[in-house]
Amino acid sequence: MPAQAHQARVPREAWHDSLWHSSPPGSIYDYIKVASFSIGPDGLIDQWSLRAEELFGLTAAQVVGRDPVDAFMPPELREGGHRRVAEILDGKEWTGLVPFRVPGGHGTHGVAEIYVMPTQTEAAERAALCVVVDVRALRRIESDLAASQAIFGQSPFGFLLFGTDLTVQRANRRFATVFGGAVEEHRGRTVHDYLPPPEADRMIEALRRVLETGESVTDLRITGAAPGRRENRHWSINLYRVHGASGRPVGVAGIGTDVTRRHLAAREAAGVRRNLALLNEAGHRIGNSLDLETTARELLDVTVPGFCDLAAVDLYQGLLLGDDDRPARPQGPGVPSLPPGQRNGRAPSAPLRRVAFASAVSDAPLSGAGAPVAVGETHRYPAASPGALALRTARPRTIEGGGPDDLVQSTLVVPMVAHDTVVGLAQFSRTKGSEPFGERDRAVAVELAARAAVCIDNARLYRREHERALILQRSLLPPGDPEAAGLDIACRYLPGNAATEVGGDWFDVIELPGHRTALVVGDVMGRGLRAAVAMGELRTAVRTLALLDLEPAEVLAALDEIARGLGAPGGSQQASRAALQARDADRSEVYLATCVYAVYDPVTRRCTIANAGHMPPVLVEPPEPGAPPRPALLLEVPPGMPLGVGGEPFEEVEVELPEGALLALYTDGLVESRDHPLEEGLRGLREALADPVRPLEDVCDHVLNTLDTRHGEDDIALLMARVQGLPVDAVGDWQLPREARSVGRARELARAKLPAWGLEGLLDTTELLVSELVTNALRYGEGEIRLRLLLDRTLVCEVWDGNLVQPRRRRARDTDEGGRGLQLVGMLSAGWGTRRTHRGKTVWFELPLPGAEGDPLPELSAEQLLNMYG
């Protein structure tokens, strides 16, 4: 019997069972849902499968033994159906679409595709086996296959299907195009065939995790090079598990997208953001100090490790030492000038000092552009080295690579240029393993170095101005320990520290005629060289006015005019106009200062004080024997307006100072700070001065050590004077009547007083000069005449009268009988002058004591006497 006949005689149910049981669950039949039934020789249904029950909604009991045409087809199609069944039973195969009533569809018709195969029974009778598929399921499968093929085969992304053994089961054309070869050649490969070991291990781990857990992986970043190519590519991998019809995992699908451009763009954007943040941070952190070395360290704090791994800054030694020389000629258009010490465009031979170094990986000195140099070490770059070339051309240099043992792989050598002048060199290095410097990094390094260079140059300019102002300020203060008749003087001056600008505080002790002393303390508002210059001008003006022997209020009034004139373009002549304009415009152009001016007379022990907006003087009177110390008092001196404001008169007060009293003048830096109010500082000063008996130098130290002066915020000037007064026996004071015999009387008084003082050597000179002054008072003065001799470090003679007209020294003509008295006084005395008083004027002269240091009295020659008297 033919094999076909033998197969046909196999029991139909057993055949169906063997077919279904030989395919595992989840096979294609689960998707297609094939139904089958058979037609016997009589044309009636004799077998009905379970799938047929699902498809048609009829049980075997309902259809077995029935005509299939009558059972499934509508009446209008039954005639053609019977004809087809007859043809099939004659042994003809047939495939076609047959409409049927959908079960439960309320009259809805479906279309089934039927494949009819003729068979034979055991009795060799003709029969048929029918395989039925719902056309809807077929079309769905066709659509799914087409969609799957479109997605898999036509996808612009690399598509891989991994089996459960994690080998490639299928690859699409796009993947094969990238990695080479035909699509079929990739079957059976693993990810190790495409990726370097570290990345392949990451991919295998991700595939295994997806296969085991079913959790998808999104945007897994993988880096590797395609076969035959050297540059790395970046892929974004998405993985998800694939299941069969029964839900059993059958593999993992992977979609890879080349994101190299996106990665580079993102890295570029991140680099730009990082550099912008770096420059922004540099703007905030670099230049907060006016110290050159600190500014260099601030640059490295910003760049390490955010920009590089190692960095160093070298500055020219001449710059650090204050050498401000400029090159003899420029270096050409567009090329910055050479730094200090370089001449005529020669190679940069000036020494540099390493001022800062920072490292995120090692403490070893930077060696990317020359021999290692330690911080603080002075060195020179060889003429052909990258450092020397960068300094000479003022352009950055890049050094790539290094030896196998070299830590550094890339270095930027950047000249630091400020105001077209190279001030130093900055080096930025990245170690092996870091990304080498690119053009964008080069531009950022130049910008960072330029910002730091400007700050360093500003610090240099500030330091130069600060030093000059400090020198000027020191030169204008009284040298050594000031001395005064009848006063014990102690003083302290504490300038602000290097972090603050020079201020305008000053003090002075000025000797006045009659052994009187002027005590001055002042403070110019503002800081820097401008304040120091203003202080010098005002101090000089005070000394000049003091020599005129004006009253304290008059001195301050004249100083006020001078202060207003300092800020006016036309000088003092336009002072009033400038001050008025300043009130309505810019007050900063007016020199404002505070000042207290006191004149002490050791004979009367009286002190006359005037104040121009300054701190009030402090007076401590000595205690009575056995009594507790007296409290320090703030003298009630009308404060007045600061100098430079103008328009307000100054008042003065006269205070009697007992023997041993202590007078303190000071600036606001001693008692005022941002941490406590002025009243608290003044109270602390008074408490610190409560014990005036101790030595005056100790009192000064005690005040400075006790008060919370916050030294460094402002200058501090402190001037203390302890009253001693002239002894009574050191003063000779007489009233003389307005008559001719008073000249002889004055000579007699002087001749009697000088031997008592042991000054016999001055008798002749004193007698002659006294007679000349008394004669002038009788001839040109008014009222009573007063003669006073004072002995201290010098001998002073004063003659008072009631006439306000000041005597004037002139050269007498040959025919004049008089007019030579003041010439004699000027030639024979160490000094002479006049001053106004409340009731007239005083004419005085001064003679040095025998054996005292200084120039001896001049001796007139015969020729000088003849010239005087013709």
Side-chain angles (χ1 to χ4, degrees):
M1 180 181 295
Q4 181 180 357
H6 178 75
Q7 183 181 5
R9 287 197 295 270
V10 176
R12 295 183 181 90
E13 193 63 38
W15 182 83
H16 284 298
D17 290 341
S18 65
L19 175 65
W20 285 102
H21 286 289
S22 64
S23 300
S27 67
I28 188 65
Y29 299 103
D30 292 327
Y31 290 98
I32 300 177
K33 295 184 178 181
V34 178
S36 64
F37 64 90
S38 61
I39 301 175
D42 55 2
L44 301 179
I45 300 173
D46 61 356
Q47 288 190 358
W48 188 256
S49 68
L50 295 177
R51 284 288 179 87
E53 288 186 7
E54 296 177 5
L55 179 63
F56 295 105
L58 299 174
T59 64
Q62 292 176 312
V63 296
V64 172
R66 294 186 59 186
D67 186 339
V69 175
D70 294 339
F72 306 124
M73 300 185 67
E76 63 272 13
L77 299 178
R78 290 175 181 174
E79 181 178 354
H82 285 111
R83 193 164 48 249
R84 291 291 182 189
V85 172
E87 294 176 355
I88 292 170
L89 292 177
D90 287 339
K92 184 178 181 181
E93 290 186 1
W94 180 80
T95 301
L97 299 178
V98 177
F100 66 93
R101 291 191 298 272
V102 177
H106 305 289
T108 304
H109 290 77
V111 178
E113 182 173 294
I114 300 180
Y115 176 53
V116 182
M117 297 174 290
T119 62
Q120 287 183 350
T121 65
E122 293 179 356
E125 294 177 321
R126 295 184 181 275
L129 178 62
C130 301
V131 179
V132 185
V133 179
D134 190 344
V135 172
R136 293 174 299 176
L138 289 177
R139 298 297 177 265
R140 186 168 57 250
I141 292 173
E142 290 177 352
S143 299
D144 291 346
L145 289 175
S148 176
Q149 183 61 32
I151 294 174
F152 195 84
Q154 302 174 21
S155 172
F157 311 114
F159 210 133
L160 287 177
L161 181 61
F162 295 92
T164 55
D165 59 353
L166 303 184
T167 61
V168 177
Q169 300 298 314
R170 187 177 180 185
N172 70 343
R173 186 178 298 106
R174 175 60 181 168
F175 183 86
T177 301
V178 174
F179 286 91
V183 172
E184 294 76 10
E185 295 177 2
H186 294 277
R187 189 183 301 274
R189 294 183 179 179
T190 67
V191 292
H192 285 278
D193 296 319
Y194 307 106
L195 298 174
E199 295 292 84
D201 292 340
R202 289 181 57 225
M203 185 72 174
I204 288 292
E205 180 63 26
L207 288 170
R208 186 175 291 113
R209 186 169 62 253
V210 171
L211 189 62
E212 293 175 355
T213 65
E215 297 179 358
S216 300
V217 172
T218 303
D219 197 22
L220 173 66
R221 294 301 177 95
I222 297 294
T223 303
R229 300 181 182 178
R230 305 182 65 178
E231 70 277 3
N232 278 335
R233 308 293 296 178
H234 299 267
W235 291 283
S236 173
I237 307 297
N238 296 317
L239 302 175
Y240 60 92
R241 191 168 67 180
V242 180
H243 303 84
S246 62
R248 179 177 58 86
V250 297
V252 178
I255 302 175
T257 305
D258 191 337
V259 293
T260 303
R261 291 185 179 179
R262 186 195 313 168
H263 174 79
L264 294 177
R267 189 174 65 177
E268 182 80 13
V272 171
R273 289 193 298 270
R274 183 182 66 251
N275 291 338
L276 289 176
L278 186 69
L279 294 175
N280 181 63
E281 184 183 7
H284 289 290
R285 296 180 60 181
I286 299 177
N288 294 321
S289 169
L290 288 173
D291 179 74
L292 279 71
E293 290 85 352
T294 303
T295 303
R297 288 192 295 269
E298 290 171 348
L299 170 63
L300 303 193
D301 291 340
V302 171
T303 55
V304 178
F307 179 72
C308 61
D309 300 317
L310 300 95
V313 174
D314 298 326
L315 297 180
Y316 277 102
Q317 179 78 348
L319 187 77
L320 296 169
L321 298 178
D323 180 9
D324 197 29
D325 292 341
R326 288 296 188 260
R329 61 182 177 86
Q331 302 303 301
V335 179
S337 60
L338 292 176
Q342 298 184 29
R343 292 299 186 209
N344 301 323
R346 293 193 297 268
S349 60
L352 298 100
R353 186 197 304 171
R354 174 119 335 146
V355 296
F357 171 79
S359 172
V361 294
S362 173
D363 294 331
L366 189 66
S367 59
V373 179
V375 174
E377 184 177 345
T378 302
H379 65 101
R380 287 180 172 88
Y381 286 103
S385 66
L389 293 174
L391 289 171
R392 183 166 56 246
T393 61
R395 293 184 175 87
R397 298 276 170 162
T398 303
I399 307 172
E400 297 292 351
D405 299 330
D406 195 355
L407 179 68
V408 176
Q409 72 155 343
S410 182
T411 299
L412 281 175
V413 182
V414 185
M416 305 178 70
V417 183
H419 307 117
D420 294 332
T421 300
V422 179
V423 299
L425 193 71
Q427 296 184 48
F428 308 102
S429 295
R430 290 180 179 174
T431 57
K432 292 180 179 178
S434 300
E435 184 179 358
F437 289 112
E439 286 300 320
R440 183 179 63 249
D441 298 321
R442 184 184 178 109
V444 171
V446 171
E447 176 65 21
L448 289 171
R451 292 191 181 192
V454 170
C455 295
I456 287 174
D457 195 56
N458 290 340
R460 175 186 64 83
L461 295 174
Y462 166 78
R463 185 172 66 179
R464 183 182 64 183
E465 178 181 350
H466 184 271
E467 290 176 352
R468 291 177 179 177
L470 200 59
I471 293 173
L472 175 62
Q473 189 179 43
R474 295 288 194 279
S475 67
L476 295 176
L477 294 175
D481 297 326
E483 296 181 356
L487 292 176
D488 183 13
I489 301 292
C491 55
R492 295 290 186 274
Y493 178 78
L494 301 179
N497 57 31
T500 61
E501 296 184 21
V502 172
D505 293 16
W506 92 90
F507 69 92
D508 209 345
V509 178
I510 307 171
E511 294 186 28
L512 299 178
H515 292 309
R516 294 172 305 131
T517 303
L519 305 175
V520 189
V521 172
D523 184 3
V524 176
M525 298 181 186
R527 294 186 176 277
L529 187 60
R530 179 178 181 273
V533 170
M535 180 266 284
E537 293 176 319
L538 290 178
R539 179 178 180 272
T540 302
V542 169
R543 281 191 159 266
T544 303
L545 294 171
L547 294 178
L548 298 178
D549 215 349
L550 301 176
E551 295 296 327
E554 295 176 324
V555 171
L556 293 185
L559 274 180
D560 181 59
E561 292 291 334
I562 294 172
R564 285 187 289 164
L566 293 178
S572 59
Q573 294 180 354
Q574 299 183 9
S576 299
R577 184 185 306 171
L580 291 174
Q581 292 175 349
R583 291 192 184 98
D584 302 327
D586 187 4
R587 297 283 306 191
S588 65
E589 293 299 323
V590 178
Y591 284 74
L592 298 179
T594 62
C595 181
V596 60
Y597 185 90
V599 175
Y600 172 69
D601 188 339
V603 178
T604 63
R605 291 185 176 85
R606 288 183 172 273
C607 184
T608 306
I609 308 173
N611 192 348
H614 200 78
M615 296 287 104
V618 177
L619 176 64
V620 185
E621 295 184 355
E624 297 290 339
R630 296 182 179 180
L633 302 175
L634 295 177
L635 293 181
E636 296 183 359
V637 181
M641 299 298 292
L643 303 176
V645 175
E648 296 292 335
F650 296 97
E651 300 181 38
E652 59 187 38
V653 296
E654 190 174 67
V655 181
E656 185 171 349
L657 303 180
E659 185 77 15
L662 179 64
L663 181 67
L665 307 179
Y666 52 93
T667 57
D668 56 359
L670 181 67
V671 295
E672 187 176 22
S673 75
R674 291 173 293 182
D675 298 332
H676 56 73
L678 176 61
E679 291 75 11
E680 182 179 339
L682 291 174
R683 183 170 59 252
L685 175 60
R686 293 170 58 192
E687 293 173 356
L689 293 174
D691 184 12
V693 179
R694 67 175 70 182
L696 200 56
E697 294 291 337
D698 294 344
V699 175
C700 283
D701 294 336
H702 176 69
V703 168
L704 295 178
N705 294 331
T706 302
L707 294 182
D708 184 14
T709 61
R710 300 287 179 180
H711 176 52
E713 296 180 0
D714 195 3
D715 292 357
I716 296 175
L718 175 63
L719 179 61
M720 289 188 178
R722 174 169 288 148
V723 175
Q724 295 175 343
L726 290 180
V728 176
D729 57 358
V731 178
D733 194 350
W734 304 277
Q735 296 284 345
L736 300 175
R738 176 166 286 282
E739 53 188 34
R741 61 188 181 90
S742 293
V743 177
R745 176 61 179 163
R747 288 198 297 266
E748 292 175 0
L749 294 173
R751 194 166 47 249
K753 192 66 175 175
L754 264 61
W757 289 342
L759 300 179
E760 292 84 353
L762 298 180
L763 272 175
D764 294 338
T765 303
T766 304
E767 192 175 349
L768 173 61
L769 299 185
V770 165
S771 64
E772 289 293 339
L773 293 188
V774 174
T775 299
N776 282 346
L778 289 172
R779 183 174 298 177
Y780 304 109
E782 297 177 358
E784 274 191 339
I785 300 173
R786 184 178 179 185
L787 172 64
R788 191 165 76 168
L789 294 177
L790 307 175
L791 176 63
D792 193 68
R793 291 171 297 170
T794 61
L795 175 64
V796 174
C797 174
E798 298 177 336
V799 176
W800 297 359
D801 68 76
N803 192 345
L804 293 175
V805 178
Q806 300 290 314
R808 181 172 59 88
R809 179 179 177 180
R810 63 184 179 85
R811 187 174 184 85
R813 295 188 296 270
D814 295 343
T815 57
D816 292 340
E817 295 182 0
R820 297 174 178 84
L822 292 182
Q823 285 184 264
L824 278 174
V825 173
M827 296 179 68
L828 294 177
S829 66
W832 76 281
T834 65
R835 70 174 183 272
R836 288 182 299 170
T837 65
H838 295 294
R839 297 181 300 276
K841 68 177 182 295
T842 299
V843 182
W844 59 272
F845 67 84
E846 184 177 19
L847 299 176
L849 302 182
E853 296 182 0
D855 297 332
L857 285 176
E859 295 183 3
L860 298 182
S861 63
E863 183 179 358
Q864 288 176 315
L865 291 174
L866 290 175
N867 289 336
M868 289 179 58
Y869 292 95

